[in-house]
């Protein structure tokens, strides 16, 4: 379903009433989304999706729609699940253990569930289409880096003055005894920057869920739930690179041209790739009370609290101060644990592993730590019931109010350029949101007053007003109409307006500058990326229209057809355009307002500009140290309010079931066709169609299924299709079709095996690789659409009692 990609609010509740999901907000290092992986899947009863903007019902976060997760409320007995799976070639492997147990009595119920999950990392070396950045074997370009091992010595280009690789350091030698004749002019070493990189991180997760319900007499009902999850992730990133400044102070120095110093583009292949480890702990809960008022009106109130703590640690980063000591560019500092006289100088002229372990460990000893804590607490009250009767039926209404408090805190430390770890700029911010809302459902025509061509007609309307302590007031309506001209045919439409205030971190995130290599044609240009929050951000809004038809013809029992057209127009959308589309940041003319091309080697003003930026205290060197003259661009990747985004499309669904081969056969098909995905980055820019381009949604997605069941046996096949696209040079990227298979056997009758079910699932049965894309990043696929796992086989055992 295409429009699901625009959903920005999630709700999860053990009851299908009017919960706005506040107990689930506050996830992520911006505290602005819900982490669905924190919910034990065994506790999920069903998932509902609202396609249109739903701010009037669910609050200002629901700009593009809502995914509503309905959790189990009651269970008598228990259930246990065990699942194991493995990808093609034995990786990645995953395992899951989950269980739930419940008890019901005449006035209440208690349910508890847990889930343990583990998945191994998938390394680029384990997939041939990702193992190398030399894409010529697939018909693409050699994307290997000139920051290499052995390194490349730079010289000033006679035409431009820019530093470019000119002498390759010879391989297979220990870096001693070299002379000028050892270096071949015009030769360039290249390095596979994909080696050792995790395509998917390793992950461990535990989650638990507890829900209860108790009637207090015949009038009051008390209910609540408590959820906890903990997840740890480890990912290995790309090798460290840097431009090394080497002079005669380095005992291994040799010059191919007789110069007293050189710049060397270098990849630290002797060091392990940096690792990023993160843990996420979330705790949330709700307590609610329901009571009758008058007539059929009932009142309900609940309090909700959610907290999430994310701690991250990056190790193996480059320590620029120690590197300078190891190269002989600065005196030995007694404040550091490294001493070149004792541990040895770093030799950048080696063509094989030759540096001392102590030297390498000190150079790669940089690290950073971060800690994010987000909290959301709310108090909610609602009343719902009938207002009056119309000829078509009762008019029902719901009224409610809410007060919500959001807080976000960040802290951390870094050790990449100082003699001791230093605290990073902390962040603590908060806001209060008060809301009132009303919803009315009016059956204008029903069984009592139906007429030819109008069997039923129902109007619904909702209105929500919110007051932000930092953004003032907003009022968001939603109107829906459902018309049944004849039995079995439903025509529906909705109109909604939505609003999203910037997340707290989007406003107050600290500034940071860092080097990044961006594609420009066949070249990769060293650029300085400016990142951080924007205190001048305003809210984004959206207007959504949907129209659809559902048909279940009485003449063909088992047939269901559905079609939905949707259109959402975002205004002042909060985004980071140059970051989101960074593979084209230097080539896409729409992004030119965020890019400043510079030539510091030949332009004094550009040199002063980039030198000042590099001297700022929030400029990071943990990914490499580079001379000012090497930079070719400065790219602003900070948050901005873009002009807008227009998304429209068509969703189609069909299913049919009938008796066949002594059992039940069913077929189903669903498809989504995006008609528009037009983006305007700045108010002065025109809207540009982005469909069918890398890093953006595919135009067409479709899926078809064929299932058969008899007694306790069920078999199924599913096929998925995704349309291809064209890259920025107009090269075609192929469509992709994959096939899935499933078999399930459930015991029937009593006995020892009662309640046992075994299922076999095979995803991507024929191991279709992602369509090739000559990606400037060096990975030969589009990460926005590719499935890098390939064939994946899993077996699950379920035991219920």
């Amino acid at each position: 379903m295409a429009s699901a990609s625009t959903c920005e609010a999630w709700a999860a509740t053990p009851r299908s009433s009017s919960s706005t999901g506040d107990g689930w907000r506050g996830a992520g290092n911006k505290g602005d989304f819900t982490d669905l992986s924190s919910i034990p899947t065994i506790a999920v009863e069903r998932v509902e999706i609202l396609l249109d903007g739903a701010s009037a019902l669910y609050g200002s976060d629901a700009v593009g729609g809502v995914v509503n997760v309905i959790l189990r409320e009651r269970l008598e007995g228990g259930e246990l699940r065990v699942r194991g799976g493995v990808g093609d070639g034995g990786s990645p492997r995953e395992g899951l253990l989950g269980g739930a147990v419940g008890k019901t009595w005449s006035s209440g119920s208690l349910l508890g569930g847990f889930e343990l999950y583990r998945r191994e990392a998938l390394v680029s070396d384990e997939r041939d289409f990702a193992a190398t950045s030399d894409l010529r074997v697939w018909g693409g370009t050699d994307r290997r880096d000139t920051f290499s091992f052995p390194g490349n010595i730079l010289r000033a280009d006679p035409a431009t003055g820019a530093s470019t690789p000119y002498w390759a350091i010879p391989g297979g030698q220990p870096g001693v005894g070299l002379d000028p004749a050892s270096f071949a002019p015009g030769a360039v070493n290249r390095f596979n920057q994909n080696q050792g990189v995790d395509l998917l991180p390793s992950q461990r997760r535990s989650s638990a869920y507890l829900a209860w319900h108790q009637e207090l007499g015949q009038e009051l009902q008390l209910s609540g739930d408590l959820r906890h999850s903990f997840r740890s992730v480890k990912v290995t990133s790309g090798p460290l690179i840097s431009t090394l400044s080497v002079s005669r102070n380095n005992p291994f120095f040799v010059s191919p041209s007789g110069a007293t110093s050189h710049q060397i583009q270098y990849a630290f292949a002797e060091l392990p790739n940096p690792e990023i480890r993160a843990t996420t702990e979330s705790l949330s809960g709700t307590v609610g009370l329901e009571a009758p008022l008058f007539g059929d009106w009932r009142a309900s109130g609940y309090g909700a609290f959610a907290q999430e703590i994310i701690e991250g640690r990056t190790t193996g980063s480059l320590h620029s101060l120690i590197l300078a000591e190891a190269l002989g560019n600065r005196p030995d500092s007694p404040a550091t644990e490294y001493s070149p006289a004792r541990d040895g100088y770093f030799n950048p002229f080696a063509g094989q592993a030759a540096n001392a372990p102590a030297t390498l460990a000190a150079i790669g000893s940089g690290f950073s730590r971060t800690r994010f804590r987000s909290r959301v607490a709310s108090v909610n009250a609602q009343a719902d019931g009938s207002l009056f009767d119309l000829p078509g039926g009762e008019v029902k209404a719901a009224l409610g109010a809410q007060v919500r408090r959001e807080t976000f805190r960040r802290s951390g430390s870094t050790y990449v350029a100082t003699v001791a770890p230093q605290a990073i700029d902390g962040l603590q911010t908060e806001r209060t949101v008060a809301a009132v809302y009303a919803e009315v459902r009016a059956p204008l025509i029903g069984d009592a007053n139906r007429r030819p061509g109008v069997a039923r007609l129902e109007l619904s309307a909702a209105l929500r007003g919110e007051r932000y302590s930092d953004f003032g007031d907003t009022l968001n309506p939603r109107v829906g109409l459902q018309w049944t001209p004849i039995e079995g045919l439903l025509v529906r439409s909705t109109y909604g307006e939505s609003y999203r205030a910037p997340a707290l971190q989007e406003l107050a995130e600290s500034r940071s500058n860092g080097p990044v290599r961006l594609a420009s044609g066949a070249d990769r240009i060293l650029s300085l990326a400016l990142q951080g929050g924007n205190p001048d951000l305003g809210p984004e809004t959206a207007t959504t229209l949907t129209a659809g038809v559902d048909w279940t013809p009485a003449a063909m029992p088992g047939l269901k057809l559905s079609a939905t057209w949707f259109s959402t127009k975002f205004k002042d959308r909060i985004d980071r355009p140059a970051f989101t589309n960074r593979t084209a940041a230097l080539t896409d003319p729409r992004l030119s307002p965020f890019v400043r091309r510079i030539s510091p080697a030949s332009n004094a003003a550009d040199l002063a500009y980039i030198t000042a930026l590099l001297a700022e205290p929030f400029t990071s060197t943990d990914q490499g140290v580079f001379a000012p003259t090497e930079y070719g661009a400065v790219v602003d990747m900070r948050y901005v309010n873009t002009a807008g985004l227009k998304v429209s499309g068509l969703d189609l669904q069909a299913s049919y079931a009938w008796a066949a081969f002594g059992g039940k056969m069913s077929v189903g098909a669903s498809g989504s066709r995006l008609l528009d995905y037009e983006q305007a980055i700045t108010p002065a820019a025109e809207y540009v169609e982005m469909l069918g381009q890398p890093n953006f949604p595919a135009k067409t997605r479709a899926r078809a299924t064929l299932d058969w069941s008899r007694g306790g046996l069920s078999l199924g096949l599913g096929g998925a299709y995704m349309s291809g696209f064209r890259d920025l040079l107009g090269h075609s990227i192929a469509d992709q079709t994959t096939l899935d298979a499933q078999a399930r056997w459930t015991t029937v009758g009593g006995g020892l095996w009662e309640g046992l079910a075994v299922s076999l699932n095979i995803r991507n049965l024929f191991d279709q690789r992602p369509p090739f894309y000559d990606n400037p990043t060096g990975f030969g696929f589009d990460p926005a659409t590719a499935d890098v796992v390939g064939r994946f086989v899993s077996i699950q055992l379920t035991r219920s009692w």
Side-chain angles (χ1 to χ4, degrees):
M1 184 192 59
S3 57
S5 63
T6 65
C7 292
E8 301 212 5
W10 305 82
T13 172
R15 308 183 64 81
S16 57
S17 61
S18 61
S19 168
T20 60
D22 297 285
W24 291 92
R25 295 184 183 178
N29 60 7
K30 292 189 297 183
D32 65 344
F33 75 94
T34 292
D35 181 7
L36 287 184
S37 68
S38 66
I39 306 173
T41 57
I42 201 168
V44 177
E45 180 176 315
R46 67 183 187 277
V47 177
E48 299 174 347
I49 298 177
L50 281 67
L51 302 187
D52 56 331
S55 283
L57 300 175
Y58 288 89
S60 64
D61 289 345
V63 175
V66 170
V67 176
N68 194 17
V69 181
I70 309 299
L71 302 181
R72 283 181 170 183
E73 184 180 357
R74 287 182 169 86
L75 176 67
E76 183 64 36
E79 182 177 321
L80 184 66
R81 295 179 187 173
V82 180
R83 186 179 75 227
V86 62
D88 187 57
S91 184
R93 294 182 297 179
E94 72 172 29
L96 180 143
L97 173 64
V101 62
K103 178 66 176 177
T104 62
W105 53 92
S106 60
S107 60
S109 63
L110 180 67
L111 184 151
F114 76 94
E115 187 171 272
L116 304 176
Y117 172 81
R118 179 180 180 181
R119 185 190 67 197
E120 296 178 341
L122 176 62
V123 185
S124 60
D125 303 341
E126 297 171 328
R127 294 294 181 266
D128 60 355
F129 55 81
T132 178
S133 50
D134 185 354
L135 305 182
R136 290 176 296 179
V137 66
W138 313 112
T141 307
D142 187 355
R143 303 287 187 180
R144 290 178 300 166
D145 209 339
T146 57
F147 285 81
S148 64
F149 180 79
N152 291 304
I153 300 176
L154 307 180
R155 75 161 186 173
D157 187 291
T160 64
S163 297
T164 58
Y166 189 70
W167 294 282
I169 295 174
Q173 49 80 32
V176 294
L178 298 174
D179 57 37
S182 302
F183 304 90
V188 177
N189 290 321
R190 290 194 173 271
F191 183 73
N192 175 28
Q193 66 270 24
N194 291 3
Q195 65 181 33
V197 174
D198 285 345
L199 297 176
L200 293 176
S202 64
Q203 183 178 154
R204 298 189 180 196
R205 184 180 71 240
S206 64
S207 52
Y209 171 69
L210 180 67
W212 66 90
H213 173 79
Q214 179 62 53
E215 295 180 3
L216 306 177
Q218 297 182 350
E219 303 294 334
L220 299 179
Q221 297 185 34
L222 179 68
S223 61
D225 55 68
L226 185 65
R227 303 170 291 272
H228 178 270
S229 72
F230 184 85
R231 180 178 60 192
S232 62
V233 174
K234 180 178 75 69
V235 60
T236 302
S237 60
L240 289 173
I241 62 173
S242 185
T243 299
L244 308 181
S245 297
V246 189
S247 70
R248 291 178 177 175
N249 292 327
N250 186 289
F252 304 102
F253 178 79
V254 61
S255 171
S257 63
T260 59
S261 65
H262 279 295
Q263 302 280 314
I264 301 176
Q265 286 188 343
Y266 196 83
F268 290 88
E270 294 177 280
L271 282 170
N273 289 13
E275 285 187 352
I276 303 170
R277 295 176 181 266
T279 61
T280 303
E281 183 177 21
S282 61
L283 176 67
S284 57
T286 61
V287 176
L289 186 66
E290 295 185 22
L293 291 176
F294 51 85
D296 65 348
W297 278 76
R298 293 189 63 84
S300 62
Y302 71 92
F305 173 81
Q307 173 179 280
E308 182 168 89
I309 297 174
I310 300 177
E311 295 183 338
R313 178 181 173 93
T314 299
T315 56
S317 299
L318 189 66
H319 196 291
S320 59
L321 186 150
I322 293 177
L323 176 62
E325 290 184 55
L327 290 171
N329 294 337
R330 59 174 293 148
D332 184 5
S333 172
T336 65
E337 296 183 1
Y338 166 76
S339 170
R342 181 189 68 235
D343 301 317
Y345 284 88
F346 181 73
N347 183 354
F349 294 93
Q352 61 189 29
N355 283 287
T359 304
L360 293 171
I363 292 172
S365 62
F367 66 83
S368 61
R369 297 189 183 98
T370 55
R371 187 178 191 271
F372 303 93
R373 190 199 71 185
S374 58
R375 287 178 175 174
V376 179
S378 69
V379 178
N380 310 264
Q382 176 180 301
D384 58 83
S386 302
L387 291 177
F388 52 85
D389 290 337
L390 290 177
E394 289 183 324
V395 176
K396 296 183 177 294
L399 306 171
Q402 177 192 80
V403 176
R404 185 172 75 247
R405 183 70 169 177
E406 303 175 4
T407 62
F408 183 85
R409 177 182 294 177
R410 186 198 65 226
S411 60
S413 62
T414 182
Y415 177 65
V416 293
T418 54
V419 296
Q422 286 192 336
I424 65 174
D425 291 339
L427 170 67
Q428 183 169 345
T429 183
E430 58 188 23
R431 68 159 55 114
T432 301
V433 185
V436 293
Y437 57 91
E439 182 181 5
V440 176
R441 293 185 178 271
L444 305 179
I445 296 178
D447 293 338
N449 63 339
R450 60 190 304 167
R451 61 197 66 182
V454 188
R456 293 182 184 84
L457 185 65
E458 181 179 283
L459 175 69
S460 63
L463 187 66
R464 184 183 184 99
E466 291 185 303
R467 171 163 293 179
Y468 283 75
S469 59
D470 52 355
F471 276 94
D473 302 337
T474 177
L475 192 64
N476 299 289
R478 181 181 184 273
V479 180
L481 187 66
Q482 294 189 351
W483 166 41
T484 303
I486 58 174
E487 290 297 331
L489 180 63
L490 173 65
V491 181
R492 47 186 167 74
S493 64
T494 64
Y495 169 84
E497 296 179 6
S498 301
Y499 174 101
R500 182 176 86 84
L504 294 175
Q505 190 182 13
E506 291 171 342
L507 294 166
E509 174 63 86
S510 298
R511 278 281 309 276
S512 65
N513 302 334
V516 59
R517 290 171 58 75
L518 300 175
S520 180
D523 299 324
R524 299 179 72 198
I525 305 299
L526 181 65
S527 306
L528 189 66
L530 312 182
Q531 302 195 56
N534 182 357
D536 297 324
L537 279 178
E540 72 175 45
T541 59
T543 301
T544 302
L545 287 170
T546 70
V549 177
D550 300 322
W551 187 34
T552 54
M556 297 184 66
L559 177 63
K560 297 180 181 180
L561 301 174
S562 176
T564 302
W565 169 85
F566 59 89
S567 175
T568 301
K569 296 180 179 180
F570 295 90
K571 183 179 179 182
D572 299 324
R573 185 168 175 82
I574 300 170
D575 195 5
R576 293 186 288 173
F579 179 84
T580 303
N581 197 22
R582 54 192 177 276
T583 57
L586 301 184
T587 56
D588 189 340
R590 300 178 311 116
L591 299 172
S592 58
F594 305 98
V595 177
R596 176 174 170 174
R597 291 277 195 165
I598 58 175
S599 300
S602 59
N603 185 297
D606 287 346
L607 179 60
Y609 171 64
I610 188 66
T611 300
L613 288 176
L614 294 174
E616 290 181 335
F618 35 78
T619 296
S620 173
T621 60
D622 61 337
Q623 296 300 311
V625 180
F626 308 93
T629 53
E630 289 189 76
Y631 286 88
V634 176
V635 183
D636 193 339
M637 296 185 177
R638 290 173 290 189
Y639 293 98
V640 294
N641 286 107
T642 62
L645 176 67
K646 300 177 182 178
V647 183
S648 66
L650 186 65
D651 288 335
L652 301 174
Q653 292 182 324
S655 62
Y656 183 60
W658 71 100
F661 306 108
K664 180 180 179 181
M665 184 79 76
S666 62
V667 295
S670 62
S672 178
R673 173 71 175 185
L674 281 178
L675 304 176
D676 292 295
Y677 195 93
E678 297 182 351
Q679 186 182 53
I681 293 179
T682 64
E686 296 182 354
Y687 278 86
V688 177
E689 182 60 72
M690 304 304 297
L691 274 181
Q693 295 188 23
N695 297 310
F696 288 93
K699 287 184 178 180
T700 303
R701 289 178 180 268
R703 182 168 180 82
T705 58
L706 174 65
D707 297 284
W708 176 80
S709 61
R710 179 180 178 180
L713 177 65
S714 61
L715 304 172
L717 288 174
Y721 168 81
M722 182 179 65
S723 62
F725 54 94
R726 292 186 179 273
D727 65 16
L728 299 178
L729 298 178
H731 300 147
S732 178
I733 287 83
D735 300 347
Q736 185 172 18
T737 303
T738 57
L739 186 68
D740 306 327
Q742 180 186 47
R744 180 181 174 87
W745 175 67
T746 304
T747 59
V748 293
L752 178 63
W753 304 107
E754 181 181 4
L756 178 66
V758 182
S759 62
L760 170 68
N761 292 274
I762 306 177
R763 192 179 69 220
N764 196 349
L765 180 64
F766 296 111
D767 195 29
Q768 294 291 314
R769 68 175 61 223
F772 174 72
Y773 161 46
D774 194 7
N775 194 334
T777 64
F779 289 103
F781 54 85
D782 178 18
T785 58
D787 174 15
V788 296
V789 174
R791 182 190 296 114
F792 190 84
V793 181
S794 64
I795 298 177
Q796 178 171 294
L797 303 178
T798 304
R799 176 75 162 86
S800 302
W801 66 91

